[in-house]
Amino acid sequence: MVKYILKKFFYGFLVLFGVITVIFFLFNVLPGDPATVVLGQRANKEAVEAINRDLGRDKPLLVQYLMYINDLSPISFHNSKDRNSAFYLDEQKYSYNFLMSMDEGACVVAKAPYFRRSYITKRKVSEIIRETLPETAVLAFSSILVASFFGIALGIVAAIKKNTFFDRLALVLSALGMSAPAFFVGVIIAWLFGFVLADYTGLNPQGSLFTTDVWEGEQLDLKNLILPTITLGMRPLAIIVQLTRSSLLDVLSQDYIRTARAKGLGFYKIIVKHALKNALNPVITAISGWFAGLMAGAVFVEIIFNWQGIGYEVYDALTKNDLPVVMGATLIFATFFILINIFVDIIYGILDPRVRVK
Amino acid sequence: MMSNIDVLLEVKNLVTEFSTEDEIVKAVNEISFTLHRGETIGIVGESGSGKSVTSLSVMQLIPNPPGRITSGEIIYHSKNNGPVDLTKVSTKDMRKYRGNEIAMIFQEPMTSLNPVYTCGDQVMEAIMLHQKISKKEAREKTLQLFKQVQLPRPEQMLDTYPHQISGGQKQRVMIAMAMSCTPSILIADEPTTALDVTVQKTILDLMLKLQRQHDMGILFITHDLGVIAELADRVIVMYKGKIVEQGPVLDIFSNPQHPYTKGLLACRPPLGKRLHFLPTVSDFMEHTENGEIIEKPKSVSEVLASAEITAAEREIQHKEIYSRSKILQLKNIKTYFPIKKGMFGKVSDYVKAVDDISVDVYEGETLGLVGESGCGKTTLGRTILRLIEPTSGLILYKGQDITNLPPKEMRSLRKDIQIIFQDPYSSLNPRITIGEAIMEPMQVHGILKNDKERKERVMELLKRVNMTEQQFYRYPHEFSGGQRQRICIARALALQPQFIICDESVSALDVSVQAQVLNLLNELKKEFKFTYIFISHDLSVVKFMSDRMVVMNKGKIEEMGDADQIYNNPQTDYTKKLISSIPKGQLQDIQASIETKKNYRAPIQT
């Protein structure tokens, strides 16, 4: 099992490396000159060149790529003396610990990954992410939690009560939930529950996890989580209902379920013990895929509800051509995807002994 | 005779119906029989005859909807509760009998165990459900059961998952589970159909032994009369939901009354003699327009006599075949599969599926390839077509080395060599009409000028495999297994091949249907002068079909030679074991087993 997990992490690392490479080259062929982003269209030539030198854009692409990797890697190689070196160990950029240092300034350091700085605000991208990521994570997590819980429960009931009124209703509703676009439903939900019915629900049409009150300062406002959670969780919920239903129906027609019945087991014991453990595998795949997807895909919902998450930040950065923020956020999303997939593989290994063998 | 006290199960006028969209089908129609303690009843019939539905009705496991028991009684004489009508007890009460007093073993050991629990857990679950004992005791008891059913390494087996053991071992776990509460009745629904003959024999022996120990009544369901010959005391023959004949096993075998029974007995490939064709059920009976069965005048021995090939005829035939040139030569073929890979994909261990095999096939010959599952026979068949690339060795087709032929030339060669696969259900695309399916290979290889001519040819082929032209526009799901296999044969014929590899082509079919397909293959061979490689795990089928026979074991050739000679005079231990395990269904064997059973039962009855 340990070997299995290590292997998954190793593959995950390879994927991450590929993602970094793709991100780097992709954003480098995009039109848009960072210097003009920073200085505006009418900047003078010297200033533009200075900025380009500062960003390392005067160097060949391959060197820039190595610089980027060196910046991201927790263990990196630098030159601590030569200020003009592409790999100069700049205290402005990194907070580091020396691991090894050789003469002529070459050294190896351990550091937190450096995602560079925003062109606009000059703040470290890692800081921006640290501020906004938890908000998005909370939203995505609560959405997927709600979607999984209700989705699996409804799916099971629909499968057991196959072809009854409830089953049909669940299918119709989930088809609706799947096809309704979030940006539209989000607005409706915000308007209906946060405005028209606000007197009964006591909810705000917009608002973030933390609200800043004039008198009491920043405070946690959990009720603001409800509407965005519903909006964001609706599609995964609809899909989980259908997936659980079809997967469970499929498992229930298997021979080993007949064996369990022939043993004399009761109906609910068969469902819970023999069917669910087999049926939930595809559901877990879907949930994990969605969770990672929600992290990245919460943009619309965050804008509608004015939720100060990373999606909102990325949207903002994209409109301003603020590449480091976009690249940093993309990398974080990718890392999440990979970590969650490793996590799911491990759960698989626990749930299904057949997976463990290879 | 057995007294009334010994009665375990009385089925009286049972009717079980299934409702489909347009009609109600009586899957079981007014059947009655009685099972006694210590008795084995064999229920025989082809698929769709209602034999499985009978067993599921007894267990009250008919899927509802669409199935329903509409009338009749199933009276079970319980040890503790006296007689109860199982059709009337509540679901909750039924659960007390299921697995506890009436247990069942199913056909597919591969899928009948839950893949996510260990074998031990699944047996313990049954024990703890019906007996009030601790988990530790249940585990101990499971271990005893595993020893009793002769599972290897029983201690380890407790913590082994189903996918880690073989089919035969899985069936033993199923038997252990069924036996866990020492049931009064054991229902076995084709328990050995999916297993190799040698494994089948050990499983049947095991069931007999357990029956003696516990004095169980067994309902043994099968499509193959031979399997139950030495096992059953009485036989029930079912046809289209009805019992057409029932009686003591020896009577059924020595003097069958109903034409259907005669057909079933005659259509198994005989081991003692050579036949031109196999008798089929339709040689003995036909249906009138309103579904009544009419017996044809011919007797079994008459039909068999007309089909027999004499030794002299065979000798002449062989002389001619073996004076012809070799159509296929295999030289030192090895096909290995990697099983263990290092971190970077470096292969460190192999399965030697085909290990150094050299065979020649003569033009017009039928070469049989026989062996148990996992012996490499299928891999060899696919290696010849280069569907799997050989690891090393040489394949010569008509003298030409095709081992390294470039893909384009290989594709045009595939026109010459066709393969008919095992599973007629999955080898036809469900969304393509069968006419198009047969036409497709002709289009791919550009045979005939246009689709109109091709369609005509498909019509001819359909007629040739005894189907009708109207069936051109039908989809695969509308056909039975035997019909689908005939469609697959027509598809293979469409390219006018010279060489056909039949890979377990009849293994998924009932014996009666199997006979029809085998006959068809032989007729086609005579007509089109094919060369066959006939691959099967069933030695009797291979012997019936082939001129020469190759016995494979663990990737190597165990024995090779004239099919009859190998059967009559096997040289290696493996072949001997393979032959002795075949259920032969001969009268003297049945008599012998009846005698042994009497000896066992005598002390109980006094």
Side-chain angles (χ1 to χ4, degrees):
Chain A
M1 193 69 190
V2 175
K3 201 180 157 195
Y4 172 81
I5 293 172
L6 282 179
K7 209 161 150 184
K8 291 289 163 202
F9 270 100
F10 175 73
Y11 289 143
F13 176 77
L14 286 186
V15 173
L16 186 61
F17 191 77
V19 169
I20 290 172
T21 309
V22 170
I23 287 179
F24 176 80
F25 286 104
L26 204 63
F27 283 105
N28 253 290
V29 297
L30 279 184
D33 179 14
T36 43
V37 173
V38 177
L39 299 171
Q41 291 293 340
R42 288 201 265 169
N44 69 23
K45 218 177 161 202
E46 284 85 51
V48 168
E49 269 170 16
I51 281 177
N52 274 341
R53 203 179 316 122
D54 188 43
L55 293 173
R57 286 178 70 95
D58 54 340
K59 305 214 163 47
L61 201 59
L62 199 66
V63 177
Q64 286 189 47
Y65 174 61
L66 290 178
M67 284 166 70
Y68 187 57
I69 290 193
N70 217 17
D71 278 351
L72 290 176
S73 169
I75 293 168
S76 50
F77 305 90
H78 294 279
N79 187 324
S80 59
K81 294 212 176 111
D82 182 6
R83 276 198 156 270
N84 290 325
S85 159
F87 301 101
Y88 175 64
L89 187 62
D90 192 341
E91 308 219 349
Q92 297 258 292
K93 292 180 178 171
Y94 320 113
S95 54
Y96 53 84
N97 291 310
F98 276 107
L99 286 181
M100 230 167 40
S101 86
M102 282 159 270
D103 32 310
E104 287 158 35
C107 61
V108 181
V109 303
K111 64 174 189 343
Y114 173 60
F115 290 99
R116 307 198 164 166
R117 283 168 190 277
S118 161
Y119 291 156
I120 316 281
T121 59
K122 298 279 185 270
R123 288 173 65 206
K124 275 190 180 176
V125 171
S126 50
E127 245 171 65
I128 297 174
I129 291 173
R130 201 175 308 135
E131 269 171 30
T132 54
L133 187 65
E135 298 242 349
T136 301
V138 166
L139 178 58
F141 190 70
S142 72
S143 301
I144 209 71
L145 209 67
V146 168
S148 311
F149 180 78
F150 288 103
I152 292 176
L154 288 176
I156 293 171
V157 179
I160 293 173
K161 306 223 176 265
K162 190 188 162 198
N163 289 337
T164 59
F165 174 73
F166 178 86
D167 179 33
R168 301 251 159 77
L169 185 74
L171 283 182
V172 169
L173 286 183
S174 67
L176 265 178
M178 251 187 278
S179 44
F183 55 83
F184 173 70
V185 176
V187 172
I188 300 285
I189 285 181
W191 172 73
L192 192 65
F193 294 102
F195 181 72
V196 177
L197 300 174
D199 290 344
Y200 305 102
T201 58
L203 299 175
N204 307 321
Q206 287 195 324
S208 205
L209 192 55
F210 293 95
T211 45
T212 315
D213 195 279
V214 185
W215 311 109
E216 292 163 45
E218 197 173 62
Q219 57 175 331
L220 190 67
D221 201 352
L222 273 180
K223 76 169 192 282
N224 279 346
L225 189 60
I226 297 172
L227 294 182
T229 296
I230 294 172
T231 313
L232 194 59
M234 202 170 54
R235 265 174 72 87
L237 186 135
I239 286 171
I240 291 168
V241 168
Q242 297 224 341
L243 207 61
T244 309
R245 178 184 178 273
S246 65
S247 174
L248 190 59
L249 283 178
D250 182 48
V251 169
L252 283 178
S253 70
Q254 296 288 319
D255 288 348
Y256 53 79
I257 297 298
R258 194 181 52 189
T259 307
R261 289 184 67 198
K263 256 186 225 178
L265 281 177
F267 182 68
Y268 288 98
K269 190 129 194 224
I270 290 174
I271 297 278
V272 173
K273 194 175 166 192
H274 284 269
L276 270 187
K277 206 172 165 185
N278 282 292
L280 285 185
N281 255 355
V283 179
I284 287 168
T285 317
I287 290 177
S288 58
W290 270 100
F291 181 54
L294 287 186
M295 296 283 303
V299 180
F300 282 124
V301 177
E302 289 187 1
I303 293 166
I304 292 167
F305 291 96
N306 199 15
W307 188 266
Q308 305 296 326
I310 197 166
Y312 195 91
E313 201 64 44
V314 169
Y315 165 76
D316 203 40
L318 266 175
T319 55
K320 291 172 184 155
N321 227 345
D322 194 355
L323 285 189
V325 177
V326 180
M327 283 166 88
T330 313
L331 251 182
I332 288 294
F333 290 146
T335 314
F336 258 95
F337 255 108
I338 292 164
L339 283 179
I340 285 168
N341 273 318
I342 294 173
F343 179 66
V344 169
D345 280 343
I346 293 170
I347 292 188
Y348 261 12
I350 294 166
L351 274 185
D352 192 339
R354 283 170 299 183
V355 180
R356 247 176 274 160
V357 188
K358 273 306 277 181
Chain B
M1 256 338 272
M2 288 169 188
S3 61
N4 274 339
I5 307 162
D6 286 326
V7 171
L8 270 177
L9 187 76
E10 291 171 89
V11 174
K12 292 179 188 166
N13 305 322
L14 178 72
V15 180
T16 306
E17 293 181 345
F18 281 81
S19 43
T20 63
E21 265 175 32
D22 26 60
E23 56 175 344
I24 290 173
V25 181
K26 285 186 175 165
V28 166
N29 194 357
E30 294 274 339
I31 64 163
S32 307
F33 65 90
T34 310
L35 176 70
H36 297 85
R37 209 170 288 279
E39 182 186 39
T40 304
I41 293 184
I43 303 184
V44 191
E46 60 196 13
S47 42
S49 62
K51 54 194 196 309
S52 287
V53 175
T54 307
S55 66
L56 291 174
S57 299
V58 174
M59 288 295 277
Q60 299 287 305
L61 285 177
I62 296 285
N64 179 14
R68 204 161 64 89
I69 295 174
T70 45
S71 69
E73 292 174 332
I74 302 171
I75 294 169
Y76 167 59
H77 295 259
S78 167
K79 265 181 285 187
N80 312 321
N81 305 358
V84 277
D85 185 353
L86 296 181
T87 59
K88 299 207 170 60
V89 298
S90 69
T91 325
K92 210 179 144 206
D93 287 339
M94 191 60 217
R95 287 215 301 270
K96 278 188 247 157
Y97 298 119
R98 259 187 224 146
N100 191 14
E101 298 184 33
I102 310 175
M104 189 159 176
I105 311 168
F106 298 97
Q107 173 169 11
E108 280 294 333
M110 303 298 167
T111 53
S112 291
L113 288 170
N114 193 332
V116 300
Y117 292 104
T118 62
C119 299
D121 277 344
Q122 298 190 49
V123 178
M124 280 158 63
E125 186 185 28
I127 296 174
M128 292 196 298
L129 186 70
H130 297 292
Q131 299 168 21
K132 292 205 164 42
I133 57 176
S134 72
K135 201 170 176 182
K136 215 178 138 199
E137 287 170 301
R139 196 177 160 88
E140 185 51 40
K141 194 156 180 218
T142 306
L143 183 64
Q144 294 307 324
L145 281 165
F146 279 3
K147 283 180 187 160
Q148 214 181 352
V149 297
Q150 294 147 22
L151 275 164
R153 296 168 283 107
E155 285 89 2
Q156 277 168 280
M157 208 50 89
L158 285 173
D159 299 314
T160 303
Y161 287 97
H163 69 272
Q164 294 166 319
I165 58 178
S166 72
Q169 290 171 343
K170 273 182 225 177
Q171 202 57 296
R172 280 168 200 267
V173 173
M174 283 298 291
I175 293 176
M177 193 190 290
M179 295 303 301
S180 62
C181 301
T182 50
S184 317
I185 300 177
L186 180 65
I187 301 174
D189 187 356
E190 306 246 13
T192 58
T193 307
L195 306 174
D196 284 324
V197 273
T198 51
V199 184
Q200 165 168 296
K201 192 168 162 50
T202 58
I203 296 277
L204 295 181
D205 288 347
L206 174 68
M207 286 179 63
L208 265 184
K209 202 178 122 205
L210 291 170
Q211 178 181 34
R212 278 175 209 141
Q213 282 170 5
H214 302 291
D215 207 22
M216 282 184 304
I218 296 184
L219 278 185
F220 194 105
I221 291 152
T222 179
H223 69 102
D224 187 350
L225 262 171
V227 175
I228 51 160
E230 290 157 56
L231 193 76
D233 301 296
R234 285 196 305 130
V235 175
I236 292 174
V237 182
M238 285 188 75
Y239 183 68
K240 296 203 166 156
K242 287 190 170 147
I243 294 180
V244 293
E245 185 164 5
Q246 64 174 312
V249 61
L250 200 60
D251 292 359
I252 297 278
F253 275 80
S254 61
N255 188 19
Q257 294 303 312
H258 195 273
Y260 179 70
T261 318
K262 291 179 191 169
L264 269 188
L265 276 168
C267 67
R268 304 187 76 234
L271 287 156
K273 47 186 159 237
R274 280 256 153 206
L275 298 180
H276 284 291
F277 61 89
L278 287 170
T280 58
V281 173
S282 58
D283 284 326
F284 302 100
M285 60 186 242
E286 58 190 348
H287 291 272
T288 59
E289 270 167 28
N290 45 22
E292 277 173 61
I293 298 167
I294 302 177
E295 185 167 0
K296 287 188 182 173
K298 274 191 228 163
S299 73
V300 176
S301 51
E302 274 171 11
V303 174
L304 284 178
S306 69
E308 195 161 345
I309 304 178
T310 59
E313 276 178 278
R314 190 168 151 83
E315 207 168 301
I316 297 167
Q317 211 179 351
H318 277 191
K319 237 179 208 160
E320 205 206 320
I321 290 174
Y322 295 113
S323 63
R324 294 195 200 127
S325 59
K326 295 170 186 169
I327 189 165
L328 182 81
Q329 289 165 280
L330 302 179
K331 291 187 174 159
N332 305 92
I333 296 290
K334 291 179 186 170
T335 309
Y336 293 174
F337 294 113
I339 36 172
K340 245 166 102 183
K341 277 186 184 172
M343 201 72 175
F344 296 97
K346 195 172 177 292
V347 180
S348 56
D349 207 353
Y350 296 96
V351 173
K352 298 178 177 176
V354 175
D355 196 11
D356 200 4
I357 284 202
S358 305
V359 185
D360 297 332
V361 187
Y362 292 84
E363 224 178 288
E365 182 186 20
T366 300
L367 181 78
L369 207 54
V370 69
E372 293 183 291
S373 52
C375 75
K377 54 190 191 301
T378 293
T379 309
L380 182 62
R382 293 185 183 179
T383 305
I384 294 170
L385 270 176
R386 282 183 55 209
L387 295 173
I388 301 169
E389 294 289 336
T391 312
S392 72
L394 215 58
I395 308 167
L396 299 176
Y397 180 72
K398 291 185 173 169
Q400 183 195 10
D401 180 3
I402 62 166
T403 329
N404 296 310
L405 218 56
K408 210 174 153 193
E409 286 169 50
M410 193 62 214
R411 266 206 296 280
S412 66
L413 190 72
R414 290 222 171 100
K415 198 169 57 177
D416 247 24
I417 313 175
Q418 282 290 305
I419 189 162
I420 301 168
F421 292 105
Q422 169 168 15
D423 192 349
Y425 292 92
S426 58
S427 50
L428 286 169
N429 187 336
R431 290 180 197 279
I432 294 180
T433 64
I434 61 147
E436 286 174 64
I438 300 173
M439 207 153 79
E440 195 187 16
M442 288 196 264
Q443 289 163 336
V444 171
H445 289 281
I447 291 177
L448 299 177
K449 271 183 236 118
N450 50 41
D451 277 1
K452 197 171 157 246
E453 283 182 28
R454 288 183 194 126
K455 199 169 159 184
E456 270 167 34
R457 172 116 182 89
V458 173
M459 297 297 188
E460 278 168 38
L461 286 168
L462 279 176
K463 264 190 273 177
R464 190 60 207 85
V465 296
N466 309 328
M467 315 258 305
T468 61
E469 289 185 6
Q470 289 88 324
Q471 287 163 331
F472 185 95
Y473 300 101
R474 299 288 178 86
Y475 287 90
H477 71 266
E478 298 174 63
F479 296 98
S480 69
Q483 284 175 316
R484 284 188 220 201
Q485 201 56 292
R486 278 185 282 177
I487 294 163
C488 290
I489 292 172
R491 183 171 59 178
L493 291 181
L495 294 174
Q496 296 165 307
Q498 301 188 339
F499 193 105
I500 295 182
I501 298 173
C502 302
D503 186 2
E504 299 270 16
S505 306
V506 294
S507 307
L509 308 174
D510 281 335
V511 272
S512 48
V513 183
Q514 170 182 305
Q516 295 167 9
V517 175
L518 290 178
N519 286 343
L520 175 67
L521 284 171
N522 272 339
E523 283 166 31
L524 293 171
K525 182 184 169 178
K526 222 177 270 169
E527 192 177 325
F528 296 102
K529 310 263 180 280
F530 293 135
T531 308
Y532 281 137
I533 288 187
F534 194 90
I535 302 171
S536 177
H537 69 280
D538 188 340
L539 201 137
S540 53
V541 172
V542 172
K543 179 183 170 287
F544 167 73
M545 291 296 288
S546 16
D547 300 304
R548 282 188 309 152
M549 173 156 87
V550 175
V551 182
M552 272 184 82
N553 183 24
K554 292 178 184 155
K556 291 187 193 298
I557 292 182
E558 192 76 28
E559 208 164 320
M560 173 161 66
D562 182 82
D564 288 354
Q565 262 170 29
I566 288 188
Y567 178 74
N568 294 327
N569 189 16
Q571 296 301 313
T572 65
D573 290 343
Y574 178 78
T575 318
K576 280 178 196 161
K577 195 176 128 206
L578 207 59
I579 291 171
S580 71
S581 308
I582 304 172
K584 297 171 191 75
Q586 267 157 1
L587 288 179
Q588 61 264 37
D589 296 330
I590 301 172
Q591 269 159 340
S593 74
I594 290 174
E595 283 304 312
T596 28
K597 275 187 205 160
K598 261 190 198 150
N599 295 339
Y600 272 102
R601 221 166 265 156
I604 301 166
Q605 293 218 328
T606 47

